[in-house]
Structures are given as C-alpha cells and as structure tokens.
Amino acid sequence: MRTVALKRHHRAAPLILMFALLAGLTMAASFARSEPAQATVASEDAIQEGQKLFAANCATCHGLSAQGQDGVAPTLVGVGAAAVDFQVGTGRMPMQASGPQAIAKDVQFNDKQIAQLAAYVASLGPGPSVPDAEAVDAALGDPANGMQLFRTNCSMCHGSVGGGGALSQGKYAPALWATTPTHIYEAMLVGPQSMPVFNDANMTPEDKRDIIAFLEEQRDGAPGGLSLGTIGPVAEGLWAWLLGMGLIVGFTVWIGVRSS
Amino acid sequence: MSTDNVNHQGGAVDEEFTDPGVPADHRPRRADVDPKAANRAERQVAAMFGLSVLGTVIAIAAYVMSDVGGDNIAGVQNSTMLMGLGLFLAMIGIGTGAIHWAKTLMRDHDMVEERHELRSSDEARAGAVDNLKEGAKDSGIGVGRRGLLKGSLVTALAIAPLSVLVPAIGNLGGDWNVSKFRHTMWKQGVRLAKDPDGSLIKASDVTIGSVFHVIPDGLTELEHHQLEEKAKAVVLLIRMSPDDLNVQPGREDWSFDGIVAYSKICTHVGCPVALYEQQTHHLLCPCHQSTFDVANGAKVVFGPAKRALPQLPIAVDDEGYIIAKDDFNEPIGPSYWERLK
Amino acid sequence: MTEVKTAPTDSRLNRAAGSTASYVDERTSIGAFTKFIARKIFPDHWSFMLGEIALYSFVVLLLSGVILTAFFVPSMDIVEYEGEFAQLKGLEMSRAFESTVHMSFEVPGGLLMRQIHHWAALIFTASIVTHMARIFFTGAFRKPRELNWLVGFTLMILSLAAGFTGYSLPDDVLSGNGLRIIDGVIKSIPLAGSYISYGLFGGEFPGEALIPRMFTAHILLIPALILGLIALHLFLVFLHKHTQYPGGGRTDKNVVGLPLFPVYMAKAGGFFFVVFGVIALLAAVFQINPVWNYGPYDPSPVSAGTQPDWYMLFIDGALRIMPGNFEYVIGGFTLSLNVLIPAVVLPGLFFGVLALYPWIEAWATGDRGEKHVLDRPRNAPTRTALGVALITFYVVLVLEGSNDIVASLFSLSINDLTLMFRITVIVLPILAFIIAKRLAMGLQRKDRELVLHGHETGRIVRFDNGEYIEVHEPLTEQERWVRVSYDALKPRELAPELNDRGVRRKGYRWDRFKAAWSRFYFEDRVEPVTPAELKAAEEHHAHELESGKKAAPEDPAIHP
C-alpha cells in the first residue's frame, strides 16, 4: 500500500528528472518573458481589479483604504504581496470572525483574483513580494542545513518534522504536510498571526529554501513504517497500549477459553 | 483428586454453604469424541507450524534482498517491513500452533494438588534455633558475651564499604565546582551571533516581530565544553514595537529600541523556552507550558515556573552589531538550593 | 517415561535419552526436581498470563538488545556524519547518535531490531502495570505473597529505570531535553541537588560522561538486577503455588488446574512466541522513536510534543499541573516546591503507598491466615475503589502530561485543560472511589439476587386468576458456590483503652487507628447469602407457585 508510494524514490527517478527539466524550461521561459509581471510592477488593470475585490471582500474589517481597525484587523499598508498571497491563497482570509488564530479554509478566490488582490495591496506601500519558482525549488536546497535551521527556529511550534503543535490559549501551529513551498516561504517572510517574522537577515533566501528542502524530504515517507503523526512518544504509548497490549491480551483470553 | 460432593437436602439448615467440590462432569471437546475432529485439529496445528516456516523463509529472503544504505528511505522501509512481517509469521505460527495443540488435543480437565503450609514445622523451627545456638556457642559469641569482638566486627563491616564508595563517588562529579552554574560566556562586549551558524547580528537586521535564536560569538570556536557553555548561554532576541514594550524599572538601558534579549532556558526545569507568539508577546515552554510575557520583563503569566526569565542587557557597538553589556545578573535556568548565595 | 520404553521402534533413541538423563541425574539429582516440577498444577485463567507478557517481552528485550550492542557506540565524542541520509549530511553529532543512525539505515534489519527493542520496552512496562493491577484487584498480594509483591514492585521500578536509561542513549534532542528536565528536578532537591547533578553528569550538564554511564547501567546493572529478581519472583511463585479464583473444590489448601507438562509447556511456551510475534508486527509496521527527525543533542532546540515515553508521562503531567507560586526563599536558600512536590514527593508517595499496600490493607483486615483463593474484585469493594481511584489519578496526570497533544487533537486550549485538570486531579479520584465502591456493592447485591431467585428464563406464565410471573431457574451448586463463598469482613473490634488495672494500655492509639482504618474498609458491606436465607426464598417461590397451581395455569411450561 504505502510502500508503492514510497518506491517512487527509485522508480520515479526518471519522471522526476523529466519533471525537473520541464520545470527548468518553463522557468527559463517565464524569466525571459514574465519577470516584469511580478507583483512589483503589476499592471494598472490588475491593481484596479484588486481594489474592487478588496472593497467587496476585505474592507469590512481592514477598512476601505486598508488602513486597518483597532482591535479588529491590522493595517495592510506595507505587508506586501507575499502576505496577501499567503493569507488568501491558503484560505485564511477572509476570516469568518476576528481572532488570533486564522484557520485555513477552502480558498475563496482563484489564482488570478489572488494576484489582483496582492497587486492592489502591494501598491499601497513597499513590502515583501511573492517568491519566484527558483526561490522555493526544493531540489536546489540543502536538507541538512534546513534541518539545523528548522529545529532551532521552527520545531518548537511546528513539531520536529512539521506535524504541528499547540500554542497557548487554544491557538496552534498548523501541520506543514500539505503546505506548498511558496506558502512556506511566504509565512517565514511575513510572520502571519502568532508566527514571528524571519526576515532575510535572520534567514537568508537560501536558508528558507533549505528549510523547504528539509520539509519536502519528510514527504517521502518514514523509514520505519507508519509514522503515527510524528507527534512523538504519546502516540507511541497509545498504540503500545491499544494495539500491542490489546492484541496480546486478546491472545491470553483465547488461551484461557476452553476449546469446544 | 478429592471431591467431596456433599448434597445437603432436608433436615436442619447449615450455617454456611458447603463446597460442592471440583465439577465432576467434564464436558468433552469435539476432538475428545470424534477422531475426525482430532485429526483436523492436528492438521490445523501443522498448518500453523508450516506458516512459521514460511515466515522464516520470508525474513531471510527479505534480509538477502534488502537494499539499504545511502539515502534510500524506501529501501529501509521495505526491508524493515518485510523482515518484520516474516519474523511476525515465524513467531506467531509457532505460538498459535502450540497453543491450539494444547487447547484441542491435550488434557483439559482439572487436577488437584494439595498445598502445604509455608510455616516450617515446630520441630524444624526448634532444630534451627538449636543449630544456631550451638553455632553461636562454637564461635564463642553467645548472647551477652565478647562484646568487644562483636562491636568491632560490626563497626568494621559498616564502614568498610566506604573504602570503595568514597573514591568511587568522589570521582563521579568531576571537579565538583558547582559555582559554574552562576556564570555564562556572556560578558561585556561579546557580540550576539545566530544559532547555529554563528554569524553576527546587526540591530537593523532585527525587524519588528522577529525572533533570533542567539549564541555568544566565539562559542563555535570553543575547543572544550562547547555544549555545556551553549546549554547556559542560549538567548532569544526579540524585537517588538517600542510602544508595546514595558521596560522594567532599573533596566532602562538593557534593551535597544524595542529589542530585548532573554535567557532561553526555562526557570522551571530548564527546557529551552522557544515558542514566541508575535501578537501576544508571550513565550511558551513546550515542555511544561510555563508562559512568560516578554513585553513585561518576561514574567510568568501561566504554568509551573515561578521566576521571570533572566534578561541579558544589550547595546549596539560602533559597527552596528548587538553586544552584551554584561553577564546575566542572576543564575540562569532552574532553581537550586544555593542559587542566591 | 514408562510408556516409551515399550515402543520398540525407537528404542535406540530412547536408550540414548535414558542414559543421558541418567548421566545428568547422577551429577545433579535432576530426577527429583523433574518429578517435582513436571506435573505441577497451574490454574487456568487468562488474567494469570499477564505477568508472562512482562517476562517474555523482557526476553525479547534481551535478545534484541544483544544485537543492538553490536552496533551501538556509547560515546559522546563529536564526529561528523558521513552517511548518505540527506537531512543529516555533514552534521556534527556524538558517536552515540551517529552509530544509532548508522545501524538504522545501513545495517540490514538494524532498524527493525531498534524498533523491536523500543516497542518491547513499551509492552514490558505496560504489561508489568497490567499484571500489578490484576494482583491488586484480586487480592493476590495477601499472605503469604506480600514479599513477592515487593519483589514485583521493585521489578516495576527497575523497568522504569531500564526504560528511561535506554530512551536516553541515542543522545538525540528529544531525550536530551528529557535529561535536562531530570537535571532540573535533581537541582531542586534541597542541599544536595547541585552535587547530585554533578555526580550524575560528571560535571556540568550535559558533560561527556552520561551516555557511557547510562549505557553500563542500561545493559549491565539494571538487567542483572531484573534477571535476579525475576528468578526470585518465579521461585516464590513455585514455592507458594499459584492462586486461584473461587469455584467448586478450590480452597486455600489446594490448587486446581492443569499440569505444567505438557499443557502449560505448550500454552506458556507458545505464548512467548505470540508475544514476540505481536512485538515484531508492531516493529514492522509502526515507526518508533525516529531519532533522525529530532537530530543530535543540542541544548538550544526543542520540538513540540516533547514528552517522555508513556511510563514517565505521569511525572511530566505532575510537573505541568503544579501552579508555579510554590517557590520560596528561606534564609537565602531557594526551596523550589513547585518542582520538588510533583517530581519527587508525589512519585515517592505514590510508589510508597503501592509498595506497602499489602501491609496497609492488613492493618484493616487483621487477618493472619494464608489466602490462596482470590477475591472477586466486587467482594472487596473498598480495595477495588481505592485501586480505581489510584488509576484515575494516574490517568489524569498522564492526560495532563499530553495536554498539548490533547489540545491540538480536540481543538482545546492547553491553559483551559491545565486549569481543568488541576481540579479534576483531586475531584475525579474521589468520585471514582465513590462510584467504583457503589458499583462493586451493586454487583454484590446482584449476586445475592441471583442466588436467592435464580436465573431469569424469560418465560412468562399467566395464571387463571390473571397473575403473570416469570419462571426463574435456580442456580446450579457450582454457580451458587462462586457467589456465596467469600468472607464479608467486619470492622476490627477495638479492645478497651484501659486494662483491668485501670491503666491505659500500650499500643492503644495504634489499635484505635487500625480500628478506624478497618471501619473505612468494612463499614459498608454486603453479606453473602446464607443457606437459611436461600431456604426462605425457596419457600416463598414454592408458595407462589403453589397458589398459582391452585389457579390452574394455562401455560404448560411451568410443569417442567
């Protein structure tokens, strides 16, 4: 079952190579053509569309000119396109109710709309932009350095390999199993909600890519079998009692029952 | 087998019920009465033993074919799982086979064995006492006699272990210089560096909402006791909006424009406290959930710790790097008896 | 033996076996021993095999442990990782960690052995606790087995020590933080704390001495003690002969069951393979303690979900649940009760009560006879309730020890959970005590009902006069005996305070305490049915039927 998926390390090697080649080609093409299309120099059209979307979906809390409201929502002037792409792209925004924990829901906008929203917010003041494909390409990263950085800076909240964990007062750090590399990068850059900011001086763009590479490694599966959520000894103890002791005690009952 | 199956019917009613004895009627199993069933049971047992042989073959095959080493996660997983499942079959086959055999074909009606009181018989006890008395007489140390001899022997036996224990325990603690807890590598002018690579930190690098995990500059070059020093010196460097920061009285010049540095070692039992929540400025220890308010002198707001985290006084040097102004003003980490002495 | 002699076909084999046996016997008198042991009787019940799980998982631990020692290097020297595992490439780590990773990824079957060893350790401790609970609830610790209870208790403590030292050997971040917590706890001990910490770690934490020291303890000292005590434990089991559940013909003077050879040789022997098999299955399918995810020990990092293995979790929970304001400075010395109470005093009390329980209960019973027939838990309501309360207390602490996991699983707040557990850790055990005692006594009353009125058959008959009754079938003698053959102990009588000369006698206070303790145990009790009561009930039934018969029933079913 699982083993099949895990074997791709071997069998999928040619596929991955081909994919990497393809990705490289498209990237080269996009560099050649669409680099100016990045959020920094977004078209006026996009900004205008974004403003409309903003007024319709975000202004209730953040204010018509995104200046924010005390105690309700922060100002968005200067948060940059990266913050919008992360918050809206993971479904955290728009929020249902103001609070410290923004829950990732179904994404409510399509990629184009998100880009338009991002372009609008980016136009309000300078801020971090959405990283390009090379910046988040796990294949270029060093997972060993990523591990060092992850365990020093991230694992206390997100768990040793990104399984997530609890914060105070009901807040939590989410699991990172399904988070896209771009969103991981953006989260580090902007520090959404409870998460601190890891700017480029603290963690260079290469460092961030190394972290992505480390997290990608985890998706190859666990060497020892099913990973029990990677939440550590509590899960192991629970399984030892439920499954291990359960099975063995079941056998003792079978031994004790008279045969018919 | 003793069964006294006494039936009390009629007559006077007893004070207590009488033990009906071991049930005499033994319900035969299918294999007891039907030779076919017995043969079937035998075949089942043999099949289970056969399963075990198959498991052994699988385990050995998995070993021979195992492709581990290198960065081959799938190979490790496959060989672990196959070998483990082979071992499982090899064991469970023998186990279930033997038990099934015992349950279906071996005796299944009870036997009775008498117990004997554990207490020795009176003669044996008396004999023991006599023997001891005689022995004592032979040794010349009967009750109340040869006090000096007995006393000196007991004394010698009691203190002789010290001849081994004192040197043994004496060596366990290294130099026993427990005052080392008091000091860390931090002193005036030591620059703050990033954990783990040791690169230096400028004040301008630390934007609002940032957290830096910090070690003292020079730690990575230490030849000896790197981990011991690191265990005491790790620091969290946090910047918040200066408006949010309540500077503690007497510590006005310990922070720099909203940048504060606190020991990362919990004052409860010494875990690294590291969960910084940017919005609340709370620092949570993942081990026992002591929560410290960084905006208010890192005082405890929840959990089993009592004391605030020790603060590292910091400043900025001519080149813009953050430096320590001094060591911590109190021992870092968990409380111990003589920490204030 | 005599049977085999007559079989002529394999007489050569038999002769060889016979002469070998004779050779050994002449030098060891093993014949007498074999005669003694071969047909020894053991009673049959599933709950009597729980201790065997512990024994067998210990054997699995020894076997897998021997293989692990062939590859593990107990050294804290720093080396650079030279293997191929991507996320560790080039990292600096101790030899202990490096060799653990090496045996996991580069030795075929190495990871399987590690996982077998770790799962076996969890099963070992879990089965000891389960076995201990069985002994407790059935009263198998009573005379003459008090000393063996103490041996078993010591084995339980040693299993915790074995588990903890083993858990810490790979020198990873998770176990390293565990050791740091232990260090913090030790430092809180008044006067000697810092020195004990230095003695343990060979200087300042973490030092370079701990892993080799723990290794010796883990593979030599502790297993040797466990082996010796297991031998003593089993010797005492053979000496005392096994306890048995109440039933026809089972008394304090005999043991009813099946012979060791061949039945238990097959059942218990087979059971070893079952235990080994289940552990192998767990190890094959579920990853345990992936140290490469935690990384080599470094005092700076920590990860969410930093918890010890399950058997130490209750101490971690106690540390978490304790409010922080109990640290005092007295005359310049720091007394850290917020650490000392949950991590030293509380486990001390908990284990102390457990170790001394046979004597604690004996104060209440005052019973001096040998007890070989077990109590059904309902027939000792106070003991059962105490046990349930103790387990409840323990479970609350375990839950608090996993409060962050519980919080993320059920979207709760760790703060609310901790506040709630601070209350429930006191309230729930008391509630559990009351409920369990009521339940036990309720079951006793149900037994009385059953003995007096028999099984409900579900057959309803209607008499001519319109009355309906359900036909009850009386219990068989065997069924009845199980339900009536227990002593409902009464509280101890307290001898008068003054002796005949009007002087207050020695030991009066102690006796008064024992009497009060005894009242706590035996004030509420349900007496077993007496033959007189049964006869009265039977007469009542007969009368009912008589009157019914006169009215001529329509249903022929009441004529058996």
Side-chain angles (χ1 to χ4, degrees):
Chain A
M1 356 154 235
R2 233 182 122 82
T3 43
V4 182
L6 291 162
K7 269 215 168 135
R8 79 190 150 153
H9 228 69
H10 262 323
R11 293 190 193 145
L15 254 174
I16 289 175
L17 270 178
M18 260 176 61
F19 185 79
L21 201 72
L22 226 94
L25 280 174
T26 37
M27 223 156 58
S30 67
F31 264 93
R33 275 189 285 140
S34 65
E35 202 174 31
Q38 284 288 322
T40 40
V41 202
S43 71
E44 275 307 312
D45 276 1
I47 294 175
Q48 268 176 19
E49 285 301 312
Q51 188 169 15
K52 279 185 205 155
L53 283 167
F54 187 89
N57 296 288
C58 321
T60 325
C61 303
H62 289 287
L64 258 183
S65 47
Q67 78 282 13
Q69 280 186 66
D70 256 2
V72 180
T75 171
L76 299 182
V77 176
V79 299
V84 179
D85 189 57
F86 176 82
Q87 299 282 9
V88 183
T90 58
R92 284 178 169 76
M93 296 290 155
M95 270 172 109
Q96 269 150 1
S98 181
Q101 182 82 41
I103 296 151
K105 307 177 292 289
D106 289 340
V107 184
Q108 304 203 2
F109 302 95
N110 62 30
D111 288 350
K112 195 177 157 203
Q113 289 170 317
I114 295 170
Q116 287 164 345
L117 267 174
Y120 166 66
V121 171
S123 74
L124 300 172
S129 55
V130 177
D132 59 32
E134 193 185 343
V136 299
D137 184 357
L140 303 173
D142 168 13
N145 187 42
M147 164 158 192
Q148 289 247 49
L149 291 163
F150 191 85
R151 71 195 195 123
T152 306
N153 294 287
C154 321
S155 68
M156 64 291 253
C157 302
H158 289 287
S160 57
V161 286
L167 305 178
S168 70
Q169 306 292 357
K171 301 184 292 277
Y172 60 88
L176 305 177
W177 303 131
T179 316
T180 65
T182 308
H183 288 149
I184 293 173
Y185 192 103
E186 289 165 349
M188 289 188 267
L189 207 54
V190 302
Q193 279 81 37
S194 295
M195 181 166 163
V197 177
F198 295 94
N199 62 28
D200 285 351
N202 191 350
M203 245 184 239
T204 65
E206 289 75 36
D207 286 344
K208 292 191 174 84
R209 190 166 59 191
D210 293 345
I211 285 180
I212 290 168
F214 168 69
L215 288 172
E216 284 287 315
E217 281 278 307
Q218 306 312 318
R219 297 176 189 183
D220 288 342
L226 303 180
S227 66
L228 307 179
T230 69
I231 51 172
V234 172
E236 292 160 4
L238 191 70
W239 283 91
W241 272 98
L242 291 186
L243 195 67
M245 285 304 282
L247 272 176
I248 297 174
V249 171
F251 269 108
T252 65
V253 174
W254 173 62
I255 296 171
V257 171
R258 295 217 159 177
S259 171
S260 65
Chain B
M1 219 190 285
S2 75
T3 59
D4 51 334
N5 215 342
V6 193
N7 249 332
H8 289 256
Q9 281 171 341
V13 181
D14 292 329
E15 279 286 295
E16 286 178 339
F17 285 99
T18 342
D19 185 350
V22 178
D25 52 328
H26 164 245
R27 179 174 55 82
R29 296 164 296 184
R30 233 175 291 149
D32 292 333
V33 288
D34 179 7
K36 266 192 200 154
N39 285 338
R40 193 164 56 239
E42 184 186 351
R43 282 197 301 276
Q44 286 164 344
V45 172
M48 290 172 192
F49 290 154
L51 188 71
S52 164
V53 175
L54 177 70
T56 307
V57 173
I58 292 176
I60 292 173
Y63 172 78
V64 173
M65 296 188 310
S66 71
D67 174 23
V68 300
D71 190 18
N72 186 2
I73 292 178
V76 174
Q77 200 195 37
N78 288 342
S79 93
T80 302
M81 201 172 273
L82 253 189
M83 219 180 289
L85 289 176
L87 184 57
F88 162 67
L89 289 180
M91 293 299 143
I92 212 86
I94 298 182
T96 50
I99 294 166
H100 191 56
W101 177 9
K103 279 171 58 109
T104 52
L105 297 172
M106 290 182 189
R107 174 194 183 94
D108 84 325
H109 45 286
D110 285 337
M111 292 165 68
V112 179
E113 187 181 326
E114 296 305 317
R115 291 179 195 270
H116 313 285
E117 205 190 357
L118 284 158
R119 184 184 190 278
S120 313
S121 66
D122 288 339
E123 302 93 87
R125 283 185 165 197
V129 171
D130 286 347
N131 281 352
L132 288 177
K133 273 189 188 154
E134 269 177 48
K137 211 170 97 191
D138 286 351
S139 68
I141 54 160
V143 180
R145 293 188 59 208
R146 304 239 186 260
L148 176 66
L149 197 153
K150 280 187 281 187
S152 54
L153 175 66
V154 168
T155 313
L157 280 177
I159 67 164
L162 294 180
S163 63
V164 181
L165 286 179
V166 168
I169 294 175
N171 288 329
L172 283 180
D175 58 6
W176 296 105
N177 179 11
V178 294
S179 65
K180 280 192 220 156
F181 293 154
R182 234 168 265 283
H183 308 289
T184 71
M185 269 183 79
W186 294 109
K187 57 181 183 229
Q188 212 219 316
V190 175
R191 284 173 169 166
L192 275 68
K194 276 197 305 189
D195 182 25
D197 68 353
S199 56
L200 301 177
I201 304 168
K202 283 190 167 157
S204 55
D205 295 342
V206 191
T207 49
I208 289 177
S210 286
V211 173
F212 282 65
H213 295 259
V214 169
I215 50 176
D217 184 28
L219 178 81
T220 47
E221 281 97 59
L222 278 188
E223 294 272 314
H224 299 289
H225 302 299
Q226 214 184 91
L227 285 183
E228 289 77 11
E229 289 303 336
K230 188 170 183 180
K232 291 186 293 184
V234 277
V235 156
L236 271 180
L237 187 70
I238 294 165
R239 185 173 206 164
M240 62 187 80
S241 161
D243 302 337
D244 292 341
L245 183 66
N246 284 327
V247 176
Q248 299 300 298
R251 297 183 175 182
E252 286 79 7
D253 57 347
W254 285 22
S255 58
F256 182 84
D257 198 23
I259 306 181
V260 285
Y262 283 98
S263 165
K264 194 174 161 182
I265 304 305
C266 190
T267 56
H268 177 223
V269 282
C271 266
V273 198
L275 275 87
Y276 178 63
E277 297 174 5
Q278 199 217 133
Q279 290 173 322
T280 55
H281 311 302
H282 284 178
L283 197 54
L284 174 72
C285 177
C287 295
H288 306 107
Q289 285 123 23
S290 297
T291 311
F292 303 88
D293 186 357
V294 179
N296 280 304
K299 289 187 182 134
V300 180
V301 291
F302 185 80
K306 163 98 175 200
R307 289 177 293 109
L309 292 171
Q311 186 173 4
L312 184 74
I314 53 167
V316 174
D317 69 7
D318 305 340
E319 294 169 68
Y321 292 112
I322 302 177
I323 53 167
K325 290 171 75 170
D326 196 358
D327 197 354
F328 296 101
N329 70 334
E330 56 177 327
I332 58 97
S335 300
Y336 53 95
W337 183 247
E338 65 276 15
R339 76 178 281 274
L340 297 177
K341 286 284 160 178
Chain C
M1 283 268 176
T2 45
E3 288 180 327
V4 225
K5 249 181 217 164
T6 55
T9 43
D10 49 2
S11 59
R12 246 175 107 189
L13 189 68
N14 273 319
R15 250 182 289 128
S19 59
T20 310
S22 162
Y23 181 91
V24 177
D25 183 47
E26 279 165 18
R27 284 155 183 83
T28 60
S29 66
I30 199 169
F33 179 71
T34 309
K35 175 171 176 285
F36 161 77
I37 205 104
R39 298 291 272 181
K40 240 180 131 44
I41 299 299
F42 283 89
D44 209 6
H45 194 270
W46 68 268
S47 71
F48 294 161
M49 312 205 86
L50 296 172
E52 278 174 45
I53 307 175
L55 177 65
Y56 297 149
S57 47
F58 183 67
V59 176
V60 174
L61 282 168
L62 289 181
L63 292 175
S64 53
V66 167
I67 296 171
L68 296 186
T69 50
F71 300 98
F72 180 71
V73 186
S75 156
M76 291 171 100
D77 292 346
I78 301 293
V79 294
E80 194 169 298
Y81 179 67
E82 286 171 348
E84 288 295 316
F85 191 58
Q87 70 189 47
L88 297 176
K89 251 185 203 167
L91 288 197
E92 288 198 333
M93 53 186 67
S94 65
R95 284 285 283 154
F97 187 87
E98 193 266 344
S99 58
T100 307
V101 173
H102 171 78
M103 83 167 91
S104 301
F105 293 150
E106 267 130 277
V107 177
L111 182 58
L112 180 66
M113 281 304 145
R114 268 196 63 222
Q115 301 201 142
I116 285 179
H117 197 71
H118 206 127
W119 281 116
L122 296 193
I123 297 290
F124 179 51
T125 41
S127 55
I128 289 178
V129 171
T130 320
H131 174 55
M132 212 165 167
R134 199 281 293 169
I135 302 289
F136 181 90
F137 285 114
T138 58
F141 53 79
R142 293 170 299 170
K143 189 182 175 185
R145 295 183 178 76
E146 303 99 320
L147 296 179
N148 215 12
W149 165 268
L150 215 50
V151 173
F153 168 83
T154 315
L155 278 167
M156 186 263 288
I157 298 290
L158 284 171
S159 78
L160 301 188
F164 191 80
T165 50
Y167 165 85
S168 305
L169 281 182
D171 203 15
D172 56 303
V173 165
L174 183 66
S175 68
N177 278 319
L179 283 173
R180 186 146 206 195
I181 293 170
I182 294 287
D183 179 52
V185 169
I186 289 172
K187 280 180 178 156
S188 77
I189 297 170
L191 284 168
S194 313
Y195 294 94
I196 300 177
S197 163
Y198 256 58
L200 192 64
F201 292 94
E204 269 193 293
F205 176 87
E208 281 157 7
L210 189 66
I211 298 282
R213 284 180 187 178
M214 278 198 310
F215 183 67
T216 311
H218 182 73
I219 69 151
L220 181 75
L221 201 59
I222 298 171
L225 285 173
I226 290 181
L227 266 178
L229 286 177
I230 285 179
L232 181 59
H233 203 59
L234 293 181
F235 167 76
L236 287 173
V237 168
F238 275 87
L239 185 74
H240 294 146
K241 299 194 171 78
H242 210 286
T243 50
Q244 53 195 346
Y245 281 102
R250 298 166 184 204
T251 69
D252 280 333
K253 301 214 178 313
N254 70 5
V255 52
V256 179
L258 297 167
L260 178 66
F261 179 76
V263 178
Y264 280 100
M265 293 278 268
K267 280 192 175 183
F271 190 47
F272 163 74
F273 293 95
V274 167
V275 171
F276 198 165
V278 171
I279 291 172
L281 182 66
L282 286 173
V285 181
F286 299 107
Q287 171 170 286
I288 191 166
N289 198 22
V291 289
W292 50 88
N293 284 346
Y294 308 131
Y297 183 64
D298 176 332
S300 173
V302 64
S303 65
T306 291
Q307 268 115 347
D309 274 346
W310 78 262
Y311 41 85
M312 302 294 273
L313 205 51
F314 80 107
I315 299 182
D316 211 52
L319 277 168
R320 289 177 187 210
I321 212 167
M322 189 78 186
N325 24 6
F326 292 92
E327 184 176 309
Y328 303 103
V329 177
I330 301 162
F333 291 104
T334 310
L335 185 61
S336 197
L337 289 181
N338 55 338
V339 178
L340 209 56
I341 289 178
V344 180
V345 177
L346 182 119
L349 275 177
F350 187 84
F351 288 135
V353 167
L354 219 50
L356 299 180
Y357 188 77
W359 293 275
I360 294 175
E361 192 181 296
W363 296 335
T365 60
D367 205 328
R368 301 204 182 276
E370 289 188 9
K371 300 285 172 199
H372 298 291
V373 176
L374 296 170
D375 284 328
R376 298 165 80 217
R378 68 186 63 175
N379 290 335
T382 306
R383 175 207 297 148
T384 302
L386 275 178
V388 172
L390 221 61
I391 290 177
T392 310
F393 177 73
Y394 183 92
V395 168
V396 171
L397 288 184
V398 167
L399 284 176
E400 168 68 2
S402 355
N403 65 353
D404 49 332
I405 310 277
V406 177
S408 11
L409 272 181
F410 300 102
S411 306
L412 297 168
S413 149
I414 45 174
N415 306 63
D416 295 347
L417 277 176
T418 299
L419 294 174
M420 186 189 81
F421 286 136
R422 277 182 190 164
I423 299 167
T424 49
V425 79
I426 295 163
V427 174
L428 264 192
I430 297 174
L431 265 181
F433 178 87
I434 295 169
I435 293 172
K437 190 163 175 182
R438 292 289 131 203
L439 268 179
M441 292 175 64
L443 286 169
Q444 281 184 302
R445 290 202 186 90
K446 214 178 126 211
D447 277 351
R448 278 185 62 91
E449 286 294 299
L450 208 57
V451 171
L452 288 175
H453 307 303
H455 293 294
E456 294 174 355
T457 57
R459 287 199 345 252
I460 309 282
V461 275
R462 180 169 161 262
F463 295 109
D464 272 353
N465 58 8
E467 188 192 350
Y468 288 91
I469 64 159
E470 186 183 359
V471 179
H472 284 240
E473 197 177 307
L475 266 62
T476 66
E477 268 196 315
Q478 294 286 346
E479 286 173 330
R480 186 195 306 143
W481 179 245
V482 170
R483 289 168 179 81
V484 297
S485 60
Y486 71 91
D487 297 324
L489 293 174
K490 294 179 185 59
R492 298 177 80 163
E493 301 284 335
L494 179 59
E497 181 176 3
L498 308 177
N499 62 15
D500 38 3
R501 274 168 293 153
V503 185
R504 189 178 167 152
R505 66 190 173 82
K506 251 186 178 175
Y508 173 73
R509 276 163 177 274
W510 178 232
D511 282 356
R512 197 173 58 184
F513 163 74
K514 284 196 289 191
W517 188 235
S518 192
R519 272 199 307 283
F520 166 70
Y521 266 82
F522 305 120
E523 190 102 87
D524 305 327
R525 61 186 179 279
V526 178
E527 305 274 354
V529 176
T530 62
E533 285 172 321
L534 180 61
K535 201 170 177 201
E538 274 168 351
E539 275 163 9
H540 176 74
H541 284 296
H543 179 72
E544 241 178 16
L545 281 182
E546 270 318 292
S547 59
K549 254 183 206 156
K550 266 181 227 150
E554 293 174 337
D555 187 347
I558 67 153
H559 301 293

